[in-house]
Structures are given as C-alpha cells and as structure tokens.
C-alpha cells in the first residue's frame, strides 16, 4: 500500500548569504556564509536539494529576519521593544545598543509561516527567498519603537555590543515566492515594530 504523502519544509536563513557581494539576494545568489550558523544552514539547504533530487517533496525557504513578540530578549529587535516599553513605564532610563548602522530585512513572522505553508502545499517542490525587500537599520527600528511608545528617544551606544562578524547587507528578493506561491508580506515595518512594542507594554503592565 502507498504510504502517506510526505512533504518537508526546511526553514533556512539569509545567513547562507552572509558574505554576499550583491544585494538584494535571490535563489540564484551564491551561498557564502560568514558564521558557523550560516555554514550549518548551508549544509541543511544542500541536503534538501539532495533529497528533492531523489523524489522527496522537499523545499527550502530562505527566511530573512522574521520578528514577533515571541522573539527572545537575546535578539536585538525584542531587546529594543522590551526596553522601550520599560522606559515608557518608568522602569528603565535608557536603551543601550551596539552598531546602530547594521541593516536588516525585517518581516512579520506569521507572514513567513504563511509562505512555508504555501510552499508545502504547492504541487512543485522548489526553493524560495522569503523577505520584504526592504532594509532598515537598527537605529530606524529603535526610533520606530520610541515613536510607537510616544516618548523621546533615549539611546546610548556601547561599542562592546557590536558584533565583529556581522554579515554584509542582507536584503531579499522574494519575486519567485510572489509569482509562484502568490505570497506577499502583509505587515509593514513600522507596524511590525509597533505590534512588538504594544505587546511588551501590555506584558510589562501585567507583570509578565
């Protein structure tokens, strides 16, 4: 008897393009990781292609930064929104960051889950870049958070927080996902930041 139809989705990462010399990146951009994490993702990405060649419905989605209130505080985006919420509520005085100029392609995590579901259900297995196509700096993220909280920015820079191995400009071209899967991001950058700030304001007020 024929077994169940198995479909595999690999959540890959823009870190596979860590040392990219072109921007934006798409599915044809050479893989050039700049970190151990990126190297591991390249290995998994290539395994997906191997098994797809053997007949498995295996897809790899190269996900650019996808954010939501579920992000741990170890991520700079959540550190920003959490701290800004605490400043707005008088619980902290200043937001301390490293490299304010680092730029990323930030999208809304539920949109990226939608892309993964679409890829799994599509009749043809393939690889897709999933991204907004817009790059914003850490400083822009922080300023958007302060604006949502309705307070003046209070930012200090600590060079010790900068990461020496930060990748090049990572911004994705999701044309294939748009054309084949009918996918598109639904939450703009400022609203993404705002939703995270709102969640942290509510969480702090509730004592969570």
């Amino acid at each position: 008897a024929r077994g169940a139809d198995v479909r595999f989705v690999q959540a890959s990462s823009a870190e596979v393009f860590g040392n990219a010399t072109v921007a934006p990146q798409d599915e044809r951009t050479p893989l050039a990781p700049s970190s151990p994490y990126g190297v591991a993702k390249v290995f998994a990405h290539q395994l997906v292609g191997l098994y797809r060649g053997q007949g498995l419905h295996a897809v790899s989605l190269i996900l650019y930064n996808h954010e939501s209130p579920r992000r741990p505080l170890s991520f700079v985006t959540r550190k920003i929104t959490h701290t800004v919420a605490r400043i707005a509520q008088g619980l902290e005085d200043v937001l301390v960051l490293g490299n304010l100029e680092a730029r990323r392609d930030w999208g809304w995590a539920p949109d990226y889950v939608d892309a993964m579901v679409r890829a799994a259900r599509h009749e043809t297995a393939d690889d897709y870049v999933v991204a907004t196509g817009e790059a914003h700096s850490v400083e822009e993220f922080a300023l958007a958070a302060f604006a949502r909280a309705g307070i003046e920015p209070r930012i200090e820079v600590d060079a010790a927080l900068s990461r020496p191995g930060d990748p090049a400009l990572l911004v994705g071209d999701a044309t294939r996902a748009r054309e084949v899967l009918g996918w598109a991001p639904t939450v703009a950058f400022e609203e993404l930041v705002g939703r995270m700030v709102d969640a942290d304001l509510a969480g702090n007020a509730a004592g969570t």
Side-chain angles (χ1 to χ4, degrees):
R2 186 175 183 272
D5 181 24
V6 175
R7 298 192 172 196
F8 179 82
V9 177
Q10 155 71 6
S12 190
S13 166
E15 293 286 334
V16 300
F17 300 133
N19 282 320
T21 57
V22 297
Q25 299 87 35
D26 62 19
E27 297 82 5
R28 296 162 296 182
T29 302
L31 304 179
S34 60
S35 68
Y37 176 79
V39 170
K41 284 296 188 179
V42 166
F43 180 66
H45 183 84
Q46 293 176 329
L47 274 178
V48 168
L50 175 68
Y51 282 106
R52 184 165 59 232
Q54 296 178 0
L56 179 66
H57 191 289
V59 299
S60 188
L61 272 67
I62 302 173
L63 306 176
Y64 282 65
N65 295 62
H66 38 292
E67 311 299 323
S68 85
R70 294 177 180 270
R71 272 293 200 203
L73 292 173
S74 57
F75 285 78
V76 69
T77 50
R78 181 73 198 296
K79 173 186 175 179
I80 290 171
T81 61
H82 177 76
T83 304
V84 167
R86 288 179 60 83
I87 292 172
Q89 295 167 326
L91 301 173
E92 291 196 34
D93 295 322
V94 66
L95 170 64
V96 182
L97 296 171
N99 180 11
L100 296 181
E101 302 306 314
R103 298 175 66 81
R104 295 291 181 272
D105 184 332
W106 281 299
W108 182 237
D111 282 343
Y112 289 41
V113 173
D114 174 50
M116 290 190 281
V117 172
R118 288 170 184 258
R121 292 176 176 172
H122 197 271
E123 61 271 17
T124 304
D126 206 345
D127 297 334
Y128 299 93
V129 163
V130 181
T132 70
E134 298 179 5
H136 296 273
S137 69
V138 170
E139 183 176 26
E140 288 178 275
F141 198 106
L143 293 177
F146 279 108
R148 182 68 163 225
I151 58 176
E152 290 296 316
R154 303 180 199 170
I155 303 172
E156 290 184 3
V157 174
D158 182 351
L161 297 177
S162 296
R163 298 190 311 176
D166 268 347
L169 175 59
L170 295 180
V171 56
D173 178 355
T175 298
R176 178 182 289 177
R178 291 174 183 268
E179 294 180 349
V180 178
L181 303 178
W183 175 86
T186 66
V187 178
F189 173 72
E190 289 79 7
E191 178 60 19
L192 179 159
V193 178
R195 291 183 182 186
M196 293 179 67
V197 171
D198 291 348
D200 277 321
L201 284 168
N204 290 345
T208 59

